[in-house]
Amino acid sequence: MAMETLRNPSHQMHELELKEYKKPYHCDGCKETGFGPRYRCDKCDFDLHKACMFAHNAPNSHEFFPGSTFEFLRNPPKCCHEAIVRCDACRKTINGFVFHCEEDDLDLHPCCRNLKNRYQIEDVEFNLHKEVKGKCMWCKSRRPKHGGRGNGWSYISDCGNYHVHVACVTEMALNEWHRTGGNTAEKSLALNMNLKEISRRKKGGGGNKMLRILEIFIQTIVSIILGDPTMILASLFVQLIT
């Protein structure tokens, strides 16, 4: 079966081939870390997230910002009011591909742009919020540690007990990967312990059911932000399912 190969405006000298490896990679589009499938040129050691590969064809609207018009840029816009440009979703510095709305002063990484307003997992609903009053269940703060002056996006369960920054979900996954040197068995145990601690802190958490729902939700968000690392990160959560 022939592998999918395509050209991209940011790398016109060679076609990019859809490949999958079991190690993180550096996306040459958004300059962020990715896992799993990526579009790659072996000759040039060039990789793109799927979201970055097709960013130039993406629509210029976003459901979270009705009325705002986004333009795809290969480099962050020059910023007059801050020294750096941050993604309004994850609050990380933008160093490459970006969706920019000049009128409303909004900037999004291509992968962050793919996050949905709402996720329904079994009978629990997680809704996306721009401004929140509660504390994140991971960092225990209203504002991500490296988020500058903004709070970034958060998902909050409809019961109100579970609130997590988009930035914290991916930071947790990457930190565990680097801490254990890619040992997925260790990461599975570490995350299992973290979620159980969170469940104990929350009254009426629903025991194993809530752990299972948190597992699915976190895997969903990490998969979108880091580029669909389902095969790599599934072992992080296997203990929660069993």
Side-chain angles (χ1 to χ4, degrees), residues 8-157:
N8 185 275
S10 63
H11 191 76
Q12 299 184 20
M13 61 285 293
H14 303 117
E15 290 188 333
L16 302 181
E17 185 176 343
L18 182 60
K19 293 190 174 184
E20 182 168 352
Y21 301 100
K22 294 185 178 181
K23 290 184 179 181
Y25 65 92
H26 176 80
C27 176
D28 290 287
C30 65
K31 314 300 181 186
E32 295 294 320
T33 301
F35 281 85
R38 82 289 305 265
Y39 284 86
R40 176 169 175 79
C41 173
D42 286 329
K43 295 178 181 178
C44 303
D45 189 24
F46 183 91
D47 298 284
L48 289 177
H49 285 115
K50 183 178 180 181
C52 292
M53 178 69 181
F54 301 106
H56 59 287
N57 290 328
N60 60 8
S61 60
H62 193 284
E63 62 176 346
F64 205 33
F65 301 99
S68 298
T69 300
F70 288 84
E71 178 186 5
F72 170 66
L73 303 175
R74 296 187 189 178
N75 295 294
K78 293 182 179 179
C79 190
C80 59
H81 56 281
E82 286 189 44
I84 59 176
V85 177
R86 293 184 183 273
C87 174
D88 285 279
C90 70
R91 299 304 298 164
K92 294 179 67 176
T93 303
I94 293 177
N95 297 304
F97 287 4
V98 58
F99 285 92
H100 174 66
C101 175
E102 183 175 1
E103 182 178 358
D104 298 322
D105 190 24
L106 297 169
D107 297 281
L108 297 172
H109 285 120
C111 288
C112 292
R113 185 184 178 280
N114 287 344
L115 291 168
K116 302 298 183 184
N117 282 2
R118 172 182 172 274
Y119 291 98
Q120 179 81 32
I121 301 173
E122 297 188 21
D123 58 349
V124 177
E125 183 176 303
F126 292 87
N127 292 289
L128 193 58
H129 293 260
K130 300 174 190 175
E131 299 292 336
V132 294
K133 296 180 179 180
K135 294 182 179 181
C136 170
M137 64 187 189
W138 290 108
C139 69
K140 302 178 184 178
S141 175
R142 295 181 182 178
R143 182 175 296 174
K145 182 169 56 175
H146 303 297
R149 292 180 293 179
N151 289 345
W153 292 358
S154 295
Y155 281 98
I156 302 178
S157 61

Side-chain angles (χ1 to χ4, degrees), residues 146-190:
H146 303 297
R149 292 180 293 179
N151 289 345
W153 292 358
S154 295
Y155 281 98
I156 302 178
S157 61
D158 52 359
C159 64
N161 287 334
Y162 298 90
H163 162 208
V164 60
H165 293 126
V166 167
C168 290
V169 175
T170 52
E171 183 179 0
M172 174 275 300
L174 289 173
N175 285 347
E176 286 301 318
W177 176 274
H178 293 298
R179 184 186 70 81
T180 62
N183 187 322
T184 55
E186 284 189 37
K187 289 199 296 295
S188 180
L189 178 60

